[in-house]
Amino acid sequence: MSSQQLPKELDVVEQVKIYQWIDQLLIPAKREEAMLELCRRRDLVPEMAIWVWNAFGTIAALVDEIMKIYPAVNMAYLSSGQSNRVCCALALLQCVACHPDTRDAFFKSRISLFLYPFLKTETMSGPFENLRLTSLGVIGAMAKTGKEEVIHFLLATEITPLCLRIMESGSELPKTLATYILTMILLDDTGLNFICGKYERFSEVVLALKQLVHYLAQNPSPRLLKYVVRCYLRLSETARGREALRLCAPKELRDETFTSLPHVDMQVKHWLFNFNRNLATNQVIGSSGIVPL
């Protein structure tokens, strides 16, 4: 690594420490502490993702951490220490998945497939919830690009039913990330056609969204509401979606349950207006663009 790559705000001592921690990812006895220290600094060092991705053996070491936890996951017993350790590995992978210089290579590596067993878990204890949340963070970082090939990959790997289950049963943060991933899928034309192409898929998505609406009526969350409303608006942009939603759209979206709340921003209110207008007429009004995470 060249010293020219280093952030100016890092002093020489800190630079050396970061290099050492990256090297120590290859040493099992020192890996946990190294992952923890790197995670603490990942938001402060923009080049962290580049260094971790390009350093010899580091990604293999992080994947090894993921795979080593599989037996405990299969036994449905995971301690807080085990969960925190693998979540550190996942957080470093999320860092790689977010960075513009490494995210394409990360996507093409298909490393994200190693995370799917964590998303399939149903145990609701804290360690498992943290594991699902951090795994969703990696998938969400991939989906955030909105690239067609990423959305196609997510559809092919059946991420949708996994997200729907988490939307229905998870705590608020996993619900939010799972709904965000669904939003990004629906914003892609292929994703929208995939969801609306079969009655069973459409029904499962609408049922999960409806449960979230009822949840939000009792537990307000501006960010989760944003993704839920955006999903409904996108579904209303198809003829089949409008026809079905005229019959089954939650009443909370059609009255003032959310528009009267002070924490609901103008964008969400605008989406709700467009959603209801789409259902009332055949003049479709949408909202293009990437939804921020």
Side-chain angles (χ1 to χ4, degrees), residues 40 43 54 63 109 125 132 136 151 184 197 200 214 235 240 245 257 261 275:
R40 288 172 175 168
D43 294 330
N54 291 314
V63 172
S109 74
S125 65
R132 284 190 291 270
L136 287 169
I151 302 303
M184 298 309 300
E200 293 79 7
H214 296 330
L235 290 172
R240 180 177 293 182
L245 291 171
T257 298
L261 296 176
F275 169 73

Side-chain angles (χ1 to χ4, degrees), residues 89-148:
L90 294 172
L92 291 176
L93 291 180
Q94 181 177 350
C95 178
V96 172
C98 287
H99 198 283
D101 292 339
T102 56
R103 62 190 178 197
D104 288 343
F106 177 81
F107 162 66
K108 292 175 182 178
S109 74
R110 300 298 191 259
I111 289 173
S112 57
L113 290 174
F114 288 100
L115 280 56
Y116 279 56
F118 302 153
L119 299 178
K120 294 178 180 179
T121 60
E122 298 182 4
T123 306
M124 299 304 296
S125 65
F128 278 92
E129 277 282 80
N130 290 337
L131 192 58
R132 284 190 291 270
L133 176 63
T134 315
S135 299
L136 287 169
V138 179
I139 305 297
M142 291 172 49
K144 186 178 182 180
T145 65
K147 290 187 175 181
E148 186 177 0

Side-chain angles (χ1 to χ4, degrees), residues 46-114:
E47 290 83 356
M48 180 79 75
I50 300 173
W51 300 343
V52 170
W53 180 256
N54 291 314
F56 175 78
T58 54
I59 297 300
L62 297 177
V63 172
D64 179 61
E65 284 296 313
I66 293 171
M67 296 181 66
K68 285 195 304 187
I69 209 69
Y70 285 168
V73 170
N74 290 336
M75 294 291 291
Y77 177 78
L78 194 66
S79 68
S80 295
Q82 289 174 310
S83 178
N84 291 340
R85 176 166 176 150
V86 74
C87 283
C88 280
L90 294 172
L92 291 176
L93 291 180
Q94 181 177 350
C95 178
V96 172
C98 287
H99 198 283
D101 292 339
T102 56
R103 62 190 178 197
D104 288 343
F106 177 81
F107 162 66
K108 292 175 182 178
S109 74
R110 300 298 191 259
I111 289 173
S112 57
L113 290 174
F114 288 100

Side-chain angles (χ1 to χ4, degrees), residues 9 49 70 82 123 128 172 174 178 181 191 201 204-205 216 222 225 246-247 249 284:
E9 62 268 19
Y70 285 168
Q82 289 174 310
T123 306
F128 278 92
E172 184 174 313
I181 294 169
R201 287 197 201 108
E204 290 171 354
V205 168
L216 287 165
L225 178 64
R246 287 185 181 117
L247 300 174
V284 177

